[in-house]
């Protein structure tokens, strides 16, 4: 490695050059000014080295915080599959079945054994209320078609419009052939043939889209599909002569305001509002609210129902979120008859008597181990096993559920936990115990200028060692973690030692070791006690460990209430990134550097002015000497 000066080495560039540089005297003014201001440069260099050390320490602290957070996320977070705070992690009973008519999973209350399910004669269903008639008007012309449309068609001209069925759009062109067909077959047949050409037939003689002509008004219909007529290239005149308006459709648009829906023209809102209740949850909507907002508000409420509109059936439906028999949907109109218009009003009211049908919910009926049971849901729990009923059974069909103990997965998870815990403790202890080398302080800019990139990298690697030696914050965290894991924390008379986990020895600085045989025996014989050891509220090892880590790396809350490492060094992408002790120190040191640089520039300017005055005086003396010499020569 290249040899460099000590930490007092200075930057060779001057901040101010305000005069002549030894042109007359021959002095190295730059070097002289640097030498005279070396004390100030040394103070600046020390401050810069201090800032560099603070930045390195901040990075080290944040790396520790990141490691702690990753450990916490993996083993202590409620969303993790390996959450040691959750009782479900310690389930060693696995439920299984070969049947596709049920799905099963064991809970912590499950025990080894078997369950037999027979005679699933009925599955639980949800109550529904569905409108009887379609909510929209048929796609029929508002006026009779104008026969003069045919006058606009010739061998060289034609008229067209768009017909959309669900997602398919076809251009319907009324040309000379169509005009001639009208003359021989009639308008309805001619138009039906055009539509058949565009959309085809279900079978011979059975069109996909039916055309009707009643009282001169054209009608289009397609079972289970939404139809929409639109103008082609803004030619609304053709649609007008056919009796339609641009964009006319036979289904509701959920984006339109309630006041724009034809089915609500006689619903009698009061002061522009509709009010009703579903299962005693009250709703209020203005006529300016959209249909989609009505559906969304009902579905996100506590009414316990799901409201929907189907463009296939053109009907509204209310479905109870809870299954089972009983009156799970009760609708009451308060102001106006909005729900009645949707076909969803309470069937007990006279006005709704013919506008809706209700299909009652059903209970699940089955036998478990020979015992007949009735449940309101298809999700049932038997002997600690959650069972989801998916299909009814055939006569004499037996669905078998087996519960057997399997500690392999939990054992592997515990081994992984101990390994990651040891790595965590080891990494922090390394930072606490490693010794700094005073021969490798942070490099100044001048020193870096004398070295290669590889040399700088190698130097800084050594300079970063020992920055957190004996750190009290890290010591406090490791001490709490070790004390908790080694202590007598127990529930139901069990400790970590009883399940084969103990200290790896004094030389291992807090690491743990596992006796796998003892661990496996404990998992099979003392499973519930092991679960309580980790998961008991507040006193459980996992909950205590989570509290220790939270106290170190919690980033939420205002400054002064966060974790100790966060208060000290902050964490990226949080408010603490700039609200922490080290950043405050760095800011203060940078202000000091700015002040010292200003002072250095003033000093340099002062010395430059002195040397410039010297150069000027010497120049004058030289001029005078030259004059005297010239006088002597002339005499």
């Amino acid at each position: 490695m290249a040899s460099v000066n000590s930490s007092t080495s200075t930057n060779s560039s001057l901040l101010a050059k305000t005069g002549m540089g030894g042109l007359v005297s021959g002095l190295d003014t730059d070097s002289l000014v640097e030498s005279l201001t070396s004390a100030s440069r040394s103070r600046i260099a020390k401050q810069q080295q201090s800032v560099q050390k603070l930045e390195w320490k901040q990075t080290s602290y944040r790396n520790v915080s990141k490691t702690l957070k990753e450990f916490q996320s993996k083993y202590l977070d409620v969303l993790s599959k390996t959450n040691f705070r959750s009782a479900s992690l310690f389930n060693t009973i696995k439920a299984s079945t070969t049947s596709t008519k049920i799905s099963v999973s064991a809970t912590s209350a499950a025990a080894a054994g078997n369950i037999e399910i027979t005679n699933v004669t009925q599955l639980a269903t949800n109550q529904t209320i569905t409108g009887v008639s379609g909510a929209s008007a048929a796609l029929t012309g508002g006026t009779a078609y104008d026969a003069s449309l045919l006058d606009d068609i010739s061998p060289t001209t034609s008229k067209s419009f768009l017909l959309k069925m669900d997602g398919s759009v076809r251009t319907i062109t009324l040309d000379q052939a169509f005009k001639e067909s009208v003359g021989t077959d009639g308008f309805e047949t001619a138009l039906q043939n055009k539509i058949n050409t565009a959309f085809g037939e279900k079978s011979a003689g059975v069109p996909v889209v039916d055309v009707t002509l009643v009282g001169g008004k054209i009608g289009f219909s397609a079972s289970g599909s939404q139809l929409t007529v639109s103008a082609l290239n803004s030619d609304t005149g053709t649609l007008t002569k056919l009796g339609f308006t641009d964009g006319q459709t036979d289904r509701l648009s959920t984006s339109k305001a309630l006041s724009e829906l034809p089915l609500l023209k006689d619903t009698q809102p009061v002061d522009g509002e509709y009010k009703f209740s579903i299962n005693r949850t009250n709703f209020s909507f203005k006529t300016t609210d959209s249909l989609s907002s009505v559906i969304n508000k009902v579905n996100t409420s506590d009414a316990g129902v799901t409201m929907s509109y189907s463009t296939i059936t053109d009907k509204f439906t209310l479905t109870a979120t809870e299954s089972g028999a009983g009156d799970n949907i009760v609708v009451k109109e308060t102001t106006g008859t909005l729900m009645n218009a949707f076909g969803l009003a309470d069937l007990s009211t006279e006005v709704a008597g013919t506008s809706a049908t209700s299909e009652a919910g059903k209970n699940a009926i089955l036998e478990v181990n020979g015992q007949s049971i009735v449940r309101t849901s298809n999700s049932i729990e038997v002997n600690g096993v959650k069972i989801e009923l998916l299909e009814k059974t055939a006569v004499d069909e037996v669905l078998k559920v087996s519960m057997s103990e399997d500690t392999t997965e939990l054992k592997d998870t515990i081994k992984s936990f101990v390994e990651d815990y040891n790595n965590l403790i080891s990494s922090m202890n390394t930072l606490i115990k490693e010794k700094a080398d005073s021969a490798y302080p942070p490099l100044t800019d001048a020193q870096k200028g004398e070295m290669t990139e590889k040399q700088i990298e190698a130097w800084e690697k050594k300079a970063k060692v020992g920055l957190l030696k004996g750190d009290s914050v890290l010591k406090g965290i490791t001490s709490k973690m070790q004390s908790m894991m080694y202590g007598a924390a127990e529930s139901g008379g069990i400790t970590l030692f009883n399940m084969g986990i103990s200290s790896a020895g004094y030389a291992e600085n807090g690491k743990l070791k596992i006796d796998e045989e003892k661990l496996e025996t404990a998992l099979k014989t003392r499973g519930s006690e092991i679960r309580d050891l980790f998961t008991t509220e507040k006193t459980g090892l996992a909950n205590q460990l989570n509290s220790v880590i939270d106290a170190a790396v919690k980033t939420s809350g205002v400054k002064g209430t966060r974790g100790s490492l966060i208060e000290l060094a902050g964490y990226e992408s949080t408010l603490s990134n700039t609200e922490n002790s080290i950043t405050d120190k760095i800011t203060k040191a940078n202000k000091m550097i700015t002040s010292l640089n200003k002072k250095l520039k003033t000093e340099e300017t002062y010395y430059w002015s002195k040397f410039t005055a010297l150069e000027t005086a010497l120049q004058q003396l030289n001029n005078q000497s030259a004059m005297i010499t010239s006088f002597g020569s002339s005499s």
Side-chain angles (χ1 to χ4, degrees):
M1 183 178 294
S3 175
V4 298
N5 294 327
S6 69
S7 61
T8 57
S9 296
T10 60
N11 193 326
S12 61
S13 62
L14 295 172
L15 298 178
K17 291 187 178 183
T18 57
M20 295 180 291
L23 294 176
V24 179
S25 65
L27 297 174
D28 185 352
T29 309
D30 280 0
S31 296
L32 289 170
V33 172
E34 280 191 40
S35 178
L36 291 168
T37 58
S38 61
S40 294
R41 291 174 180 279
S42 179
R43 285 193 294 272
I44 292 172
K46 287 180 179 179
Q47 286 296 323
Q48 289 172 333
Q49 289 174 315
S50 174
V51 168
Q52 181 64 85
K53 275 191 174 183
L54 286 171
E55 289 175 345
W56 286 343
K57 289 181 72 172
Q58 187 174 52
T59 299
S60 293
Y61 282 127
R62 289 187 177 187
N63 287 339
V64 173
S65 294
K66 182 181 179 182
T67 304
L68 284 167
K69 280 181 171 291
E70 289 173 347
F71 180 89
Q72 184 181 42
S73 178
K74 184 176 181 180
Y75 295 111
L76 304 170
D77 189 274
V78 293
L79 298 178
S80 173
K81 292 181 179 180
T82 53
N83 175 22
F84 275 74
R85 299 163 64 196
S86 171
S88 63
L89 177 70
F90 298 88
N91 294 348
T92 56
I93 299 296
K94 306 299 179 184
S96 63
T97 181
T98 58
S99 174
T100 59
K101 295 185 176 182
I102 55 174
S103 64
V104 298
S105 62
T107 70
S108 58
N114 298 291
I115 298 172
E116 289 189 350
I117 298 173
T118 56
N119 295 325
V120 182
T121 58
Q122 183 171 283
L123 295 178
T125 61
N126 303 67
Q127 180 187 1
T128 60
I129 295 178
T130 305
V132 172
S133 57
S136 305
L139 184 54
T140 305
T143 60
Y145 84 93
D146 187 346
S148 67
L149 174 66
L150 298 176
D151 298 334
D152 300 329
I153 300 173
S154 70
T156 57
T157 61
S158 61
K159 292 295 180 181
S160 301
F161 66 94
L162 299 176
L163 180 60
K164 179 180 180 181
M165 184 177 72
D166 300 321
S168 299
V169 181
R170 300 286 188 270
T171 299
I172 311 300
T173 301
L174 309 180
D175 52 13
Q176 183 64 24
F178 167 78
K179 183 176 180 179
E180 293 172 358
S181 178
V182 171
T184 57
D185 302 325
F187 190 90
E188 182 178 356
T189 300
L191 185 56
Q192 180 70 71
N193 290 335
K194 277 290 182 182
I195 299 299
N196 288 352
T197 300
F199 290 99
E201 295 181 320
K202 296 178 183 178
S203 58
V206 182
V208 173
V209 178
D210 285 297
V211 178
T212 58
L213 186 62
V214 179
K217 294 181 180 180
I218 301 170
F220 298 114
S221 62
S223 178
S225 293
Q226 179 177 1
L227 296 176
T228 306
V229 291
S230 303
L232 177 65
N233 299 326
S234 303
D235 178 17
T236 57
T238 296
L239 283 179
T240 300
K241 288 190 176 184
L242 289 170
F244 294 99
T245 57
D246 189 18
Q248 187 175 338
T249 183
D250 61 355
R251 294 293 187 270
L252 297 180
S253 171
T254 58
S255 62
K256 286 189 175 181
L258 298 178
S259 60
E260 298 179 70
L261 301 179
L263 82 161
L264 301 183
K265 62 181 179 180
D266 298 320
T267 50
Q268 302 171 343
V270 176
D271 295 328
E273 280 191 313
Y274 297 105
K275 294 181 181 180
F276 59 90
S277 67
I278 303 176
N279 296 337
R280 297 184 180 181
T281 298
N282 296 317
F283 297 94
S284 175
F285 296 99
K286 297 183 181 298
T287 56
T288 53
D289 290 330
S290 67
L291 176 56
S292 63
S293 69
V294 174
I295 295 173
N296 290 336
K297 189 171 182 180
V298 169
N299 291 346
T300 56
S301 72
D302 296 325
V305 297
T306 299
M307 182 179 181
S308 62
Y309 168 72
S310 171
T311 57
I312 295 177
T313 64
D314 191 30
K315 295 177 182 180
F316 286 92
T317 301
L318 280 179
T319 303
T321 54
E322 289 189 4
S323 58
D327 205 1
N328 293 321
I329 304 177
V330 178
V331 180
K332 298 289 185 182
E333 301 271 26
T334 305
T335 298
T337 53
L338 178 66
M339 295 301 282
N340 181 63
F342 290 162
L344 302 175
D346 183 2
L347 296 178
S348 65
T349 62
E350 293 183 6
V351 70
T354 60
S355 38
T357 58
S358 177
E359 183 176 341
K362 297 177 182 179
N363 292 325
I365 301 175
L366 66 154
E367 290 184 7
V368 177
N369 293 337
Q371 177 68 46
S372 296
I373 64 172
V374 177
R375 295 289 186 271
T376 59
S377 170
N378 291 318
S379 297
I380 64 176
E381 185 172 324
V382 179
N383 298 337
V385 178
K386 290 184 178 180
I387 302 172
E388 186 73 23
L389 304 176
L390 304 175
E391 295 180 39
K392 293 189 290 185
T393 59
V395 177
D396 297 328
E397 184 177 9
V398 179
L399 310 182
K400 293 185 178 181
V401 180
S402 300
M403 293 87 73
S404 58
E405 190 168 49
D406 183 0
T407 61
T408 303
E409 185 177 349
L410 178 56
K411 179 182 174 182
D412 289 342
T413 301
I414 291 174
K415 287 169 62 179
S416 175
F417 172 86
V418 170
E419 181 181 353
D420 288 345
Y421 172 84
N422 284 342
N423 290 337
L424 185 63
I425 289 293
S426 178
S427 64
M428 286 192 287
N429 279 332
T430 297
L431 293 173
I432 294 170
K433 295 178 179 298
E434 64 184 6
K435 296 180 179 180
D437 190 338
S438 59
Y440 291 90
L443 295 167
T444 64
D445 290 341
Q447 290 169 334
K448 289 180 181 179
E450 300 171 3
M451 303 168 69
T452 66
E453 287 188 10
K454 286 187 176 180
Q455 288 174 328
I456 293 172
E457 183 180 348
W459 181 285
E460 290 190 341
K461 184 177 180 180
K462 290 180 176 292
K464 292 176 182 178
V465 173
L467 290 174
L468 301 183
K469 184 180 185 305
D471 186 82
S472 60
V473 176
L474 294 187
K475 276 186 176 180
I477 296 170
T478 57
S479 176
K480 288 177 182 177
M481 292 175 70
Q482 293 172 38
S483 176
M484 183 200 67
M485 299 298 276
Y486 289 161
E490 59 182 84
S491 178
I494 192 172
T495 66
L496 286 179
F497 179 78
N498 298 136
M499 55 184 286
I501 301 175
S502 59
S503 169
Y506 179 78
E508 292 296 329
N509 295 318
K511 288 185 179 181
L512 301 173
K513 66 179 181 178
I514 297 177
D515 182 330
E516 291 195 32
E517 185 176 343
K518 189 174 181 180
L519 173 61
E520 189 166 349
T521 299
L523 290 175
K524 291 179 178 179
T525 60
R526 308 185 71 173
S528 60
E529 295 171 88
I530 292 174
R531 177 196 63 212
D532 293 343
L533 172 66
F534 281 93
T535 65
T536 300
E537 188 176 359
K538 294 183 180 179
T539 60
L541 291 182
N543 287 311
Q544 290 188 64
L545 185 57
N546 188 62
S547 296
V548 171
I549 295 177
D550 255 352
V553 298
K554 183 169 77 78
T555 56
S556 60
V558 298
K559 186 178 181 181
T561 65
R562 301 166 185 152
S564 55
L565 284 175
I566 306 305
E567 292 287 349
L568 183 59
Y571 203 74
E572 292 180 356
S573 302
T574 69
L575 290 175
S576 67
N577 188 44
T578 55
E579 296 176 352
N580 59 82
S581 298
I582 290 181
T583 296
D584 290 344
K585 290 179 180 178
I586 291 173
T587 300
K588 185 177 180 181
N590 282 330
K591 287 181 179 179
M592 176 64 74
I593 290 171
T594 299
S595 176
L596 289 173
N597 275 324
K598 288 181 179 178
K599 182 178 179 183
L600 173 61
K601 187 174 182 179
T602 300
E603 288 182 15
E604 289 179 355
T605 301
Y606 171 78
Y607 287 121
W608 267 102
S609 66
K610 294 299 183 183
F611 282 111
T612 298
L614 173 63
E615 296 294 330
T616 301
L618 289 174
Q619 181 63 46
Q620 290 174 348
L621 287 173
N622 287 341
N623 291 339
Q624 291 175 0
S625 176
M627 289 176 61
I628 293 172
T629 301
S630 65
F631 289 150
S633 298
S634 60
S635 61

